[in-house]
Amino acid sequence: MTGLRPDTGRQAGTMLIVFGVVLLVSSLVVSAALAPSVGAAGNDETPQTLVGSQGGGPGLHESGSVYLLDGKETKWKAAETDSYFDVTMLDNGSVATGFMDSGYEDCEPYESPCTHTGFRILEPTDDGGAEIVYEYSFPVRTRSNSEVHDVELLDSGEFLVSDMEYERIFTVKNGEVTWQWNASSMYDAPADPTTTDWLHINDVDALSEDRYLVSVRNANQLVVIERGEGVVEVINKDENGDGTGDPEVLLQQHNPQWLNNGSVLVADSHNDRIVELHRNNTTDEWEVAWAVYEAEGVPFSWPRDADRLANGNTLITDSLNQRVVEVNESGMTVWSYKTPYVPYEAERLPEGETVGATTYATNADATMYGNGDVPVLSLLLILFQTGIQVPFWFTELHVGVTLVSLAMTIAGTVLIVRDR
């Protein structure tokens, strides 16, 4: 019997490896060359925009910052913190922001050093930075899914805070908690909410001094809470008895904005869209009246904030595409900015996020297409995006090509080793 030449396996293996590498590199080069321009819309005359950046690195736990854009130029920036989240400019020019940072020694009941979360007041300085003039924080069990994402200053002098560690909202003044609402009063709670990412309460907005809009992310719901009354309204009610609202209406949303008593604007994050929900006065259900899924020719990827502006446009923080964009009612981009890391939230100054703003009617031009998730590949894409922050044009196609290239490289290596 005639056998194969001794170097056949080595040659075949080398060809597999080379073809796999060429396939991956060529797909990346072509996609980068053909990618649409992101962050180029508009000009430097746009009013100031305040940005809270969660940062980068594995899990988005590095290089967090808060910065003020004057047009598209950075006027000042506060950094050197693991992550910053929601940002609000106060009347005196200071900024209130939720944060998470590591390296604290005050850690009871956890071991030292540990991570703290809470909120800070930042004061811009003359050298283009900002200093921390006040901090309220407490230790958390882990760096992930335990953060304070939002804080607002009330007229009473209290700070209104959303807390994912204990799944509550609370007010604090002079370092002391003055009131709180625990989600366990409405939802079936685990024995200890600090041990699991149970509800992921990620936002609270004051509709009035004693009435608050709360985003309960993992339940796909928004709830309105009144001090002394508890929950008085639920948007996207649980109709199936599983403790969550309809995922086709909202899916793990962020940063809702109350437009009026019959409409709310929401970053519908895991449906990769921005939606305006209107209450159906006949059924009392909340329904999608307007939605936008892309800007600048690029589909949204995990958008986490949307603010209806005084000019009637919508400012959107498109986190995993690392950009902030402003679109009009038809979905056309009128301004955009490519951020250096993954942004969490942005506010257009001087108004910031307001209660009560222009509502849109149903607009077929803006509701262009729906979620294009691909089983398995879309989940892996999120891991690429949050782990190594791949560019915005890196899609499920590139994940698939990467897996094929990796399989070819492994198979080629096995052939080479066997032929030695």
Side-chain angles (χ1 to χ4, degrees), residues 274-297:
I274 305 301
V275 295
E276 184 173 317
L277 303 179
H278 290 185
R279 183 193 285 114
N280 185 315
N281 292 326
T282 301
T283 64
D284 204 36
E285 297 296 322
W286 289 76
E287 302 169 346
V288 176
W290 177 89
V292 63
Y293 291 82
E294 63 91 29
E296 303 178 288

Side-chain angles (χ1 to χ4, degrees), residues 88-101:
T88 302
M89 182 164 283
L90 306 180
D91 291 342
N92 64 359
S94 299
V95 173
T97 176
F99 82 98
M100 179 274 292
D101 200 21

Side-chain angles (χ1 to χ4, degrees), residues 398-410:
H398 300 98
V399 175
V401 170
T402 300
L403 294 178
V404 170
S405 176
L406 180 61
M408 287 181 172
T409 302
I410 293 173

Side-chain angles (χ1 to χ4, degrees), residues 84-211:
Y84 279 110
F85 303 102
D86 197 278
V87 287
T88 302
M89 182 164 283
L90 306 180
D91 291 342
N92 64 359
S94 299
V95 173
T97 176
F99 82 98
M100 179 274 292
D101 200 21
S102 301
Y104 285 79
E105 299 297 328
D106 177 13
C107 298
E108 186 64 30
Y110 309 117
E111 294 184 0
S112 177
C114 66
T115 296
H116 270 219
T117 191
F119 67 90
R120 289 172 173 170
I121 306 298
L122 305 177
E123 182 75 35
T125 56
D126 293 335
D127 60 358
E131 61 178 345
I132 303 167
V133 296
Y134 179 78
E135 175 176 315
Y136 174 88
S137 68
F138 52 91
V140 291
R141 186 181 294 274
T142 72
R143 299 172 73 199
S144 301
N145 304 314
S146 297
E147 308 100 338
V148 164
H149 275 195
D150 192 17
V151 58
E152 286 195 10
L153 177 61
L154 303 178
D155 291 341
S156 63
E158 299 170 299
F159 287 95
L160 176 65
V161 183
S162 66
D163 173 21
M164 288 164 24
E165 175 78 344
Y166 296 101
E167 301 292 13
R168 60 177 178 161
I169 62 169
F170 66 94
T171 55
V172 60
K173 187 173 184 179
N174 299 324
E176 298 294 330
V177 174
T178 54
W179 170 87
Q180 69 179 11
W181 173 84
N182 294 298
S184 57
S185 65
M186 175 178 175
Y187 298 92
D188 292 334
D192 183 353
T194 70
T195 61
T196 181
D197 184 22
W198 169 37
L199 290 175
H200 203 100
I201 293 178
N202 59 20
D203 187 70
V204 58
D205 293 337
L207 307 183
S208 64
E209 193 71 10
D210 297 318
R211 188 177 176 92

Side-chain angles (χ1 to χ4, degrees), residues 244-370:
T244 65
D246 184 352
E248 293 187 3
V249 177
L250 291 174
L251 183 59
Q252 295 195 342
Q253 73 287 331
H254 288 75
N255 287 311
Q257 179 188 12
W258 190 260
L259 301 179
N260 58 46
N261 287 334
S263 60
V264 62
L265 182 69
V266 193
D268 189 10
S269 304
H270 278 269
N271 282 324
D272 290 324
R273 64 181 182 176
I274 305 301
V275 295
E276 184 173 317
L277 303 179
H278 290 185
R279 183 193 285 114
N280 185 315
N281 292 326
T282 301
T283 64
D284 204 36
E285 297 296 322
W286 289 76
E287 302 169 346
V288 176
W290 177 89
V292 63
Y293 291 82
E294 63 91 29
E296 303 178 288
V298 178
F300 294 134
S301 182
W302 203 36
R304 289 189 293 170
D305 186 38
D307 294 345
R308 186 63 45 76
L309 304 177
N311 63 8
N313 293 338
T314 301
L315 186 70
I316 299 166
T317 303
D318 188 17
S319 288
L320 291 185
N321 283 327
Q322 297 181 25
R323 61 178 177 167
V324 179
V325 298
E326 180 184 343
V327 302
N328 61 20
E329 186 174 353
S330 68
M332 184 182 74
T333 302
V334 298
W335 180 86
S336 62
Y337 175 77
K338 188 73 172 68
T339 62
Y341 289 102
V342 176
Y344 180 80
E345 194 251 3
E347 290 198 350
R348 177 62 50 76
L349 303 180
E351 71 267 21
E353 180 182 331
T354 61
V355 176
T358 302
T359 59
Y360 290 166
T362 300
N363 189 323
D365 290 335
T367 56
M368 287 179 288
Y369 50 81

